[in-house]
Amino acid sequence: MPFEPCGVITLTTDFGLRDPFVATMKGRILARYPRASIVDITHDVPAYWPGEAGFWLSRSWRYFPDGSVHVAVIDPGVGTRRDIIVAAHATHVFMAPDNGLLAPLLDEAATHRIYRLNPQLLQRFSLDAPSATFHGRDIFAPLAAELAAGRCQPEDLGEPTSEYVPGWIEEPHLIGQAVHGVIVTVDHFGNLITNVERSHLSRFTQPVVHAAGRRFALRRTYGDVRAGEYLALLNAFGVIELARAERSAAEGLGLGRGAPVSVTEGLRTSQ
Amino acid sequence: MPFEPCGVITLTTDFGLRDPFVATMKGRILARYPRASIVDITHDVPAYWPGEAGFWLSRSWRYFPDGSVHVAVIDPGVGTRRDIIVAAHATHVFMAPDNGLLAPLLDEAATHRIYRLNPQLLQRFSLDAPSATFHGRDIFAPLAAELAAGRCQPEDLGEPTSEYVPGWIEEPHLIGQAVHGVIVTVDHFGNLITNVERSHLSRFTQPVVHAAGRRFALRRTYGDVRAGEYLALLNAFGVIELARAERSAAEGLGLGRGAPVSVTEGLRTSQ
Amino acid sequence: MPFEPCGVITLTTDFGLRDPFVATMKGRILARYPRASIVDITHDVPAYWPGEAGFWLSRSWRYFPDGSVHVAVIDPGVGTRRDIIVAAHATHVFMAPDNGLLAPLLDEAATHRIYRLNPQLLQRFSLDAPSATFHGRDIFAPLAAELAAGRCQPEDLGEPTSEYVPGWIEEPHLIGQAVHGVIVTVDHFGNLITNVERSHLSRFTQPVVHAAGRRFALRRTYGDVRAGEYLALLNAFGVIELARAERSAAEGLGLGRGAPVSVTEGLRTSQ
């Protein structure tokens, strides 16, 4: 089934917005495809670490229209021999360095096609002299424009592959009756976002979340407790989140990226 | 008079830009209305506090084209029984939680129509299973797209109402011959933005602004004083602002949100 | 040769994104030219200092499509007698206060046409009552829309001129056999961006960069050294950059804006 672009291109980078890095990517996209509709997913993930970008991208892409092209550039290996991957999944296309960024998405995507960008094909798109340090602007952006404009298909860009660098964040695992996961990131509100998903909860009748030596009952929304009180909930991106109503849970609990969380059964209180 | 959309949708939230919250709102808008022209007003108002967002929105909307849809989501009550309001005023439409955010706008709008969103109508727009924690993405964004696409009118979304939760910032008041107001926010430059408007000044021949135990003469623009000197002016949004040329007045004066300011007559110096 | 607009308008300001300043500029652009494609270059250059904005704009504009309009508003003299300049260069148009901002671009542009905005012409565009403190919204944005919509040409806006306020950053200069430059800015990653360009390096067989009492060999890309090691490179914007692989060179070296750098010949080690 060919990729049918809708014209939307999303950008996910660690470039920040202070310098003209993201802007020049957009300039090059618009130069090749003036009708592109460009959406910034985030440019503020931790520098050099593809883990968080991959997590958010795997949780966010489904809210974009069918036919979107998603470009993600966290690329400490730019200009070295690292590969670039182009993946098609569920009417969307994804491009990123092959450094583990796309692994969270590809791991859970039952059906996908993956291609390893062939640098020799860049000439065909007049991209044969990229800088050594800014492939976001010189390779990713123009190729995303070509894909979004419908002038090429993912399979035109390289050889199919089934291999890719694995992800940076370990999957939650089961020890005894407890699911053990980790805090992936802290959001703007200080909510602690974990990698424990809805599917991990199916074994529990009344899940209780443990972190920082405390227990958190699972609630429906922030307003279910009073301002200042803690809660856990299955958030709008399908993962467990620890929050504090109208406050920062991260500050209150002193927790951040990488901190362990676990979930146990809360129904049997006798043990 | 029906709402005639121009395709512009503005977004005002406390979500920040670090996480994919705003991006997924945009994704859902574009999925329903690919031609939408989306403008970020701000995503950096103080978390959980609708006061500042309401102030800026009431001061900014008039600079957008006729037919704009303005979505504002500062929503600590998301998923609880708080209502959502849709208001039509002067060729524009506004959507926000009914938590006081829209009050500054509605209070001063002589003619407006207000509707209370009927959750049972969400089904009609295939929005009957929103998350409990992210109505910005799951309700506001898709409905804004429907309005901007011209596929529904504000009155299609709920019952008319004339009530709404009052605003968070008290109006300036008169004590003796002095107008007493407050600093609503500090801008990027450290300018202190008050709620004292042009209309409050009509009683004065030569207004003098008082704050932090100091007096400030009203000037026309920043360059009317030398770098480092303080001034007051009626700013480009129609309210009194305390500034310091090429410096931060907030830092220099040690003032911030909520600090009192007053205006008195400066002409008669004899008293 | 008349200016042929493509509809792209870029914005470069010191306004930040926390307040609705940039948003209201966009609103006014869209009100006059609904099809405008607006790209933010940066809104986070140091307040009141046109030097950094001018540097980045002169390095970035070429990545935007032919026919782009570039608006830059770092404008501490807003509302005073400072002029506004409109310049045409190489299929692009630029607008900025005449405060040195455009000098880096105009200095190196062999062919350009410069016009000094005639305030009396503003009436023709229904812009005869701008605020005294926000010309970005009240003059620059609407005129950019007129230019991008093809409804006026740069020469319609004022008298030709060949003079403009000089730039803020001195050009690198030669002392003996060494090129002496300066760090213009520190990017999001902590890389130190200098004003020493490719052309300054032509005299050297094996350039060595000096800063903070240390020597840096010129590399091709960040991954050419191990994480934590320092390097210099000719970056993707054509200037010398001091970097530290996967770390902040600025923090590591304790250097920032204005710090001196020099380049010497590294081949002859005997002297």
Side-chain angles (χ1 to χ4, degrees), chain C:
Chain C
M1 204 172 68
F3 171 60
E4 293 178 21
C6 69
V8 169
I9 297 173
T10 78
L11 303 180
T12 300
T13 78
D14 61 350
F15 296 167
L17 289 171
R18 201 177 61 188
D19 316 297
F21 305 149
V22 173
T24 51
M25 287 181 69
K26 294 178 182 174
R28 295 208 66 179
I29 289 171
L30 293 171
R32 286 190 180 237
Y33 182 43
R35 298 169 59 91
S37 190
I38 308 171
V39 179
D40 299 304
I41 291 191
T42 175
H43 301 292
D44 246 338
V45 289
Y48 316 117
W49 188 54
E52 184 164 324
F55 173 81
W56 274 132
L57 185 57
S58 75
R59 297 275 149 196
S60 301
W61 67 270
R62 71 196 74 230
Y63 300 103
F64 290 88
D66 288 342
S68 294
V69 175
H70 304 278
V71 175
V73 192
I74 288 81
D75 197 9
V78 60
T80 65
R81 297 165 70 109
R82 69 94 179 84
D83 284 337
I84 290 174
I85 272 184
V86 184
H89 171 59
T91 79
H92 293 241
V93 165
F94 303 83
M95 295 182 67
D98 184 19
N99 58 17
L101 197 160
L102 287 184
L105 174 93
L106 298 173
D107 288 347
E108 71 171 26
T111 61
H112 55 243
R113 296 173 288 136
I114 311 177
Y115 305 92
R116 199 166 292 280
L117 181 72
N118 181 348
Q120 300 190 305
L121 294 178
L122 291 175
Q123 197 175 2
R124 184 180 140 196
F125 300 101
S126 311
L127 296 173
D128 42 339
S131 69
T133 52
F134 193 3
H135 287 188
R137 182 193 70 194
D138 296 341
I139 296 179
F140 286 95
L143 286 186
E146 297 294 327
L147 287 160
R151 288 194 295 264
C152 72
Q153 288 285 319
E155 55 266 34
D156 299 337
L157 297 175
E159 292 301 305
T161 183
S162 59
E163 296 189 349
Y164 49 88
V165 173
W168 293 71
I169 301 164
E170 223 180 313
E171 281 296 289
H173 53 278
L174 194 69
I175 301 179
Q177 293 302 310
V179 172
H180 291 262
V182 76
I183 292 168
V184 176
T185 183
V186 179
D187 78 12
H188 175 72
F189 297 98
N191 299 321
L192 300 157
I193 314 292
T194 80
N195 63 341
V196 181
E197 310 182 27
R198 186 188 308 272
S199 62
H200 297 119
L201 300 183
S202 57
R203 65 176 54 239
F204 303 116
T205 306
Q206 189 179 297
V208 172
V209 183
H210 305 258
R214 303 175 61 143
R215 296 161 53 97
F216 304 87
L218 212 59
R219 305 288 189 149
R220 205 179 62 88
T221 190
Y222 310 107
D224 289 346
V225 301
R226 281 171 296 189
E229 290 183 354
Y230 292 93
L231 70 153
L233 49 74
L234 192 62
N235 76 9
F237 291 87
V239 292
I240 293 282
E241 168 181 322
L242 294 174
R244 190 180 186 190
E246 300 189 29
R247 303 279 192 289
S248 166
E251 280 182 22
L253 297 173
L255 294 181
R257 285 186 186 92
V261 292
S262 61
V263 185
T264 60
E265 179 57 58
L267 191 61
R268 292 164 53 225
T269 52
S270 58
Q271 201 265 345

Side-chain angles (χ1 to χ4, degrees), chain A residues 42 63 186-188 220-221 236, chain B residues 14 18-19 27 78-79 132 137:
Chain A
T42 175
Y63 299 103
V186 180
D187 77 12
H188 175 72
R220 206 180 63 88
T221 189
Chain B
D14 60 352
R18 200 176 64 188
D19 316 297
V78 60
R137 182 192 70 195

Side-chain angles (χ1 to χ4, degrees), chain A residues 189 246, chain B residues 10-15 25 45 47-51 53-54 57 70-87 93-106 114-117 132-137 139-141 143 161 163-168:
Chain A
F189 297 98
E246 301 190 29
Chain B
T10 78
L11 303 180
T12 300
T13 77
D14 60 352
F15 296 167
M25 287 181 70
V45 289
Y48 316 117
W49 189 54
L57 185 57
H70 304 277
V71 175
V73 192
I74 288 80
D75 197 8
V78 60
T80 65
R81 296 165 69 110
R82 69 93 181 82
D83 283 337
I84 290 174
I85 272 184
V86 184
V93 165
F94 303 83
M95 294 182 67
D98 184 19
N99 59 16
L101 197 160
L102 288 184
L105 174 93
L106 298 173
I114 310 176
Y115 305 92
R116 200 167 291 281
L117 181 72
T133 53
F134 194 3
H135 286 187
R137 182 192 70 195
I139 295 179
F140 287 95
L143 287 186
T161 183
E163 296 189 349
Y164 49 88
V165 172
W168 292 72

